[in-house]
Amino acid sequence: MYGGTFGAVLALVTDKSVSSGPPPVEAPIAHAPIGAVAEPAPPPEPESTGEHKLPFGRPGKPMGNSPFMFGLVAALGVLTAWWLVQMVAAAGSVLVLIVVSLFLAVGLNPAVEWLHGRGMARIWAITIVFVGVIAFFAIFALSIVPALTEQTTGFVQDVPTLVQQLQNHPLIRSLDQEYQVLDKLTQYVTSGDLASQLFGGILGVAGVVISAVFSFLTVLVLTLYFLGSLNSIKESGYRLVPRSRRERVTKLVDEVIRQIGGYVGGNLIISLIAGVVTFIFLSIAGVPYALPLAIFVAITDLIPMVGAVIGAVVASLVGLLTSLPVGIACVVFFVIYQQIENYVISPRVFKSSVDVPPIATIIGALLGGALLGVVGALLGIPLAAAVLLILREVVLPRQEKL
């Protein structure tokens, strides 16, 4: 009995002597509340390997923050921008033709939609409208080319008579006797040197004519293409917009296209009225070349602000060459008609399509004319209307919500 007790005590003493230090204290187990998600343990910090960091950049990219790399990338960006600008400048004439064709298509689209809404197939509506446009330019060419040819030939033939009349003036006679001015002027006009310097010779004239014909045909073809595929172009463009904003963008773009088309179509209607009224008046007044002058007035009437004045001045000068009373009658007619067009015809035509303040009209025409000449002046007003619409429908409501 004592032997067993002594053995147990000896075993206990032996076990305590082997273990050094106090007995380990177990940490209490922290129970996470029910439903809580245990946070992941933070990753262990990397041990220091004794490597030295590079003076710039990340490991493996020693030139990441180098001033040399920054300058190189900046220089490449500048060169790329310059290259793009040069490409746009080189293709400027082609881009102008594309923009003009697109605006013509948008302007002719209301007429196509009007015919299509009355039961006519769209392809036939486009054909009728396009044939009307071609017929207008054909009539203009057939009417103005013979007149210009006849007037130019007559002027060249009458140069000796005009020179003889100038020689009767005492001052001009004295200058001519000393410097032979009139003889040199007669030889210069009748020898063809004037045409050579104006158009660069025969090759220059041919180049101008070929370029004009090519541009005209290009505009016609592109206008026909845009007119036929205008709806598909719009649908393809709308698909590029995110679905959440597609409906809003569709309504806004459709309204912009409607206003641009309303302006272009309305301007064409006003110009047509101006040409018809001018033709009637010039025919009654007995002014020669009434049809080409009326078409010229209709075309120049498309140009904002100064176009109507240009057409009126040319027609009045032709009337003045006919007789003094006819010239005065032409001036009176154009002054009265311009007032009627500005205050009666234009407001009625544009009242349901374009609402552009006068200051925006002037600024748009001036900026467009400075950038793209006559074409820019034509396109400046509808673009100003589009910008005002975007400001009114998008920018101002967003500012009100801030």
Side-chain angles (χ1 to χ4, degrees), residues 184-377:
K184 293 180 180 178
L185 179 61
T186 303
Q187 295 177 1
Y188 180 69
V189 174
T190 57
S191 64
D193 294 337
L194 178 61
S196 298
Q197 292 188 4
L198 287 178
F199 300 102
I202 298 177
L203 295 178
V205 174
V208 171
V209 173
I210 293 174
S211 177
V213 172
F214 174 77
S215 300
F216 176 74
L217 294 177
T218 302
V219 169
L220 286 181
V221 172
L222 290 178
T223 301
L224 180 61
Y225 172 77
F226 286 138
L227 197 59
S229 59
L230 187 60
N231 293 331
S232 60
I233 291 175
K234 292 193 298 182
E235 294 297 329
S236 300
Y238 294 152
R239 294 183 63 183
L240 299 176
V241 181
R243 183 182 295 273
S244 59
R245 301 180 180 179
R246 190 172 299 169
E247 182 178 0
R248 174 65 173 167
V249 172
T250 300
K251 292 181 180 179
L252 185 63
V253 173
D254 287 342
E255 182 63 21
V256 169
I257 293 177
R258 188 190 71 82
Q259 291 205 7
I260 294 177
Y263 172 78
V264 178
N267 212 0
L268 291 175
I269 293 174
I270 294 173
S271 298
L272 179 62
I273 295 173
V276 172
V277 174
T278 302
F279 174 73
I280 295 174
F281 170 78
L282 295 179
S283 300
I284 296 174
V287 179
Y289 311 112
L291 181 59
L293 286 175
I295 297 177
F296 179 78
V297 169
I299 293 177
T300 55
D301 196 67
L302 294 170
I303 305 173
M305 297 188 295
V306 299
V309 177
I310 295 174
V313 168
V314 172
S316 299
L317 286 177
V318 176
L320 188 62
L321 293 176
T322 304
S323 66
L324 181 60
V326 172
I328 296 175
C330 290
V331 173
V332 174
F333 163 75
F334 282 111
V335 169
I336 296 175
Y337 176 76
Q338 286 304 315
Q339 304 308 312
I340 297 175
E341 180 181 294
N342 293 333
Y343 296 103
V344 178
I345 300 177
S346 296
R348 292 179 181 272
V349 172
F350 290 135
K351 66 178 181 180
S352 60
S353 58
V354 181
D355 183 17
V356 184
I359 185 63
T361 301
I362 296 174
I363 294 175
L366 291 177
L367 291 178
L371 294 175
L372 296 176
V374 177
V375 176

Side-chain angles (χ1 to χ4, degrees), residues 44-65:
E45 297 182 358
E47 297 181 359
S48 176
T49 57
E51 296 179 357
H52 296 286
K53 293 185 177 181
L54 297 174
F56 42 78
R58 297 192 301 269
K61 295 183 178 180
M63 303 294 287
N65 296 329

Side-chain angles (χ1 to χ4, degrees), residues 40 55 104 108 116 143 154 162 173 179 308 369 390 395:
L104 285 177
L108 296 175
H116 181 63
S143 61
L162 294 175
R173 186 187 306 122
Y179 300 103
I390 294 174
V395 178

